[in-house]
């Protein structure tokens, strides 16, 4: 069992090592659309690479989610058939967002033996999501 401080240090170590292994600037929050972010997430149960649509305005969130779902088959072809589309994804904070994501289950950030596989999962899939975003952002945001 890790203390809160030890857990924080492990998480920091993971992200430092990931950044050293893949030293590049990811798009992430720099999509140029304040409601759409590309994210990495890793906790004690799973690792996610996601497109998050976050806004308090449900109409805008629904609009962008519909735009993405209209490209679902294309996304599954270009990114992964395993993409999960959730219009009403509830974050641990209770906030409802729309999320399109890939999940690597049964991994734990505290298990350093699993880090290389998570690094590869993140790199491979975020790169595909970024390429897709760059290619189709004009359609999605039109």
């Amino acid at each position: 069992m890790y203390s809160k401080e030890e857990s924080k240090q492990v998480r920091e170590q993971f992200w430092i090592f990931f950044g050293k292994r893949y030293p590049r600037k990811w798009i992430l929050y720099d999509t140029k659309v304040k409601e759409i972010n590309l994210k990495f997430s890793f906790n004690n149960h799973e690792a996610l690479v996601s497109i998050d649509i976050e806004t308090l305005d449900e109409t805008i969130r629904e609009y962008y989610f519909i735009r993405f779902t209209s490209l679902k088959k294309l996304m599954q072809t270009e990114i992964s058939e395993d993409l999960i589309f959730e219009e009403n994804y509830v974050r641990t904070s209770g906030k409802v967002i729309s999320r399109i994501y890939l999940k690597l289950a049964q991994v734990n950030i505290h298990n350093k033996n699993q880090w290389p596989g998570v690094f590869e999962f993140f790199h491979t899939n975020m790169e595909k999501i970024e390429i897709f975003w760059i290619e189709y952002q004009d359609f999605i945001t039109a």
Side-chain angles (χ1 to χ4, degrees):
M1 194 71 156
Y2 289 87
S3 72
K4 206 173 200 179
E5 186 58 36
E6 289 170 327
S7 188
K8 179 182 176 185
Q9 288 174 350
V10 169
R11 287 192 309 276
E12 287 173 358
Q13 260 188 330
F14 173 83
W15 293 112
I16 289 167
F17 290 158
F18 178 68
K20 286 180 180 178
R21 184 158 184 190
Y22 298 103
R24 61 168 287 211
K25 182 163 174 42
W26 299 95
I27 292 174
L28 303 178
Y29 294 95
D30 195 21
T31 62
K32 309 295 187 232
V33 180
K34 73 177 184 172
E35 296 87 4
I36 299 173
N37 299 306
L38 311 182
K39 290 190 177 178
F40 295 113
S41 306
F42 189 19
N43 60 33
N44 299 339
H45 311 288
E46 62 193 10
L48 302 177
V49 187
S50 65
I51 301 168
D52 289 359
I53 306 165
E54 299 183 62
T55 177
L56 296 176
D57 187 326
E58 288 186 34
T59 305
I60 293 172
R61 185 168 57 88
E62 181 181 10
Y63 172 80
Y64 284 131
F65 190 75
I66 289 168
R67 299 300 278 184
F68 277 107
T69 54
S70 72
L71 299 171
K72 185 174 184 174
K73 288 286 183 205
L74 187 59
M75 291 180 79
Q76 289 172 323
T77 299
E78 294 190 13
I79 300 170
S80 172
E81 289 184 12
D82 297 325
L83 275 171
I84 301 164
F85 289 73
E86 283 194 42
E87 185 172 4
N88 297 299
Y89 183 95
V90 181
R91 299 182 75 176
T92 54
S93 66
K95 182 178 181 183
V96 178
I97 66 170
S98 292
R99 178 174 271 180
I100 300 155
Y101 64 100
L102 288 167
K103 176 168 61 173
L104 182 62
Q106 298 179 337
V107 291
N108 186 324
I109 196 164
H110 295 107
N111 184 343
K112 293 180 181 183
N113 293 328
Q114 295 176 336
W115 286 10
V118 176
F119 291 159
E120 186 60 32
F121 170 78
F122 278 169
H123 175 261
T124 300
N125 292 298
M126 183 57 82
E127 191 166 70
K128 290 177 186 178
I129 287 173
E130 284 188 339
I131 290 167
F132 186 87
W133 173 252
I134 291 165
E135 182 72 25
Y136 297 100
Q137 70 181 358
D138 289 342
F139 172 79
I140 294 163
T141 61

